């Protein structure tokens, strides 16, 4: 969990601010269970997650989004790559959602075990997206498409 929190600070993802009345705060989760391909338990993974369950569309966030690729599209792309002898690469972006900017103003509690001793009653103002928030996939996809467009795609 230390590495996860260090990544949040390094990416300038949040600022500590005083609590205001009528502030909508989102909770946090700490650990996920990672599974093997057969569905059996592999390990616990520390990851700071926003609890977006209580978020309301058009109140707390604009729109949600989840890019979907149909199996037929993947099959077509792979078939073309094989028939033309093109190399195929996979890309995994570590902490992907932490690289996307939030348009909305969002606050969350300080993570347990990581409370600032000088400001224990402050909350975190999110500057960047966080896994678990409803707008996180859209914010990441926008950042990604803006970048690939800037390099000519």
């Amino acid at each position: 969990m230390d590495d996860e929190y260090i990544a949040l600070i390094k990416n300038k993802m949040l600022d500590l601010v005083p609590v205001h009345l009528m502030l909508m705060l989102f909770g946090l989760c700490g650990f996920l269970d990672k599974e093997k391909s057969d569905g059996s338990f592999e390990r616990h993974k520390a990851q700071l997650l926003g609890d977006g369950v209580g978020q309301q569309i058009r109140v707390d966030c604009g729109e949600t989004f989840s890019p979907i690729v149909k199996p037929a599209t993947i099959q077509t792309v792979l078939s073309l790559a094989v028939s033309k002898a093109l190399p195929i690469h996979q890309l995994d972006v570590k902490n992907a959602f932490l690289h996307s900017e939030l348009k909305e103003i969002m606050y969350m509690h300080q993570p347990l075990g990581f409370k600032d001793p000088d400001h224990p009653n402050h909350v975190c103002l999110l500057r960047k997206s966080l896994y678990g928030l409803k707008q996180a996939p859209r914010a990441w996809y926008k950042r990604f498409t803006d970048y690939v467009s800037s390099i000519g795609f």
Side-chain angles (χ1 to χ4, degrees):
M1 193 65 168
D2 290 341
D3 292 338
E4 181 76 16
Y5 191 70
I6 289 167
L8 298 179
I9 301 303
K10 186 177 176 182
N11 285 311
K12 297 181 177 121
M13 198 201 124
L14 51 87
D15 292 325
L16 288 178
V17 297
V19 178
H20 299 287
L21 294 176
M22 303 301 291
L23 190 66
M24 175 62 84
L25 291 174
F26 292 94
L28 303 172
C29 302
F31 295 93
L32 296 173
D33 289 337
K34 296 294 280 187
E35 296 178 350
K36 296 179 184 175
S37 58
D38 65 0
S40 62
F41 174 78
E42 181 179 345
R43 64 185 170 94
H44 293 292
K45 179 182 178 186
Q47 187 172 37
L48 191 63
L49 300 170
D51 182 10
V53 173
Q55 286 186 286
Q56 297 176 22
I57 307 293
R58 294 186 217 3
V59 174
D60 302 309
C61 61
E63 299 177 75
T64 60
F65 175 73
S66 182
I68 304 291
V69 179
K70 294 182 179 180
T73 304
I74 294 171
Q75 186 177 19
T76 302
V77 169
L78 292 175
S79 296
L80 286 169
V82 168
S83 68
K84 306 254 184 208
L86 298 172
I88 300 171
H89 300 280
Q90 177 187 350
L91 173 67
D92 183 20
V93 180
K94 189 173 182 179
N95 297 321
F97 285 0
L98 303 183
H99 298 285
S100 52
E101 303 289 329
L102 281 176
K103 290 187 278 184
E104 301 86 4
I105 297 173
M106 309 265 327
Y107 298 93
M108 70 178 195
H109 300 283
Q110 291 186 54
L112 292 176
F114 295 94
K115 287 197 177 203
D116 186 318
D118 297 329
H119 306 297
N121 296 321
H122 280 46
V123 294
C124 300
L125 169 62
L126 296 179
R127 298 285 178 205
K128 296 188 179 183
S129 189
L130 186 67
Y131 289 94
L133 297 178
K134 292 189 185 288
Q135 64 269 45
R138 179 173 287 286
W140 162 244
Y141 188 73
K142 171 135 179 53
R143 173 93 188 250
F144 177 74
T145 56
D146 289 349
Y147 175 73
V148 294
S149 294
S150 75
I151 61 171
F153 280 93

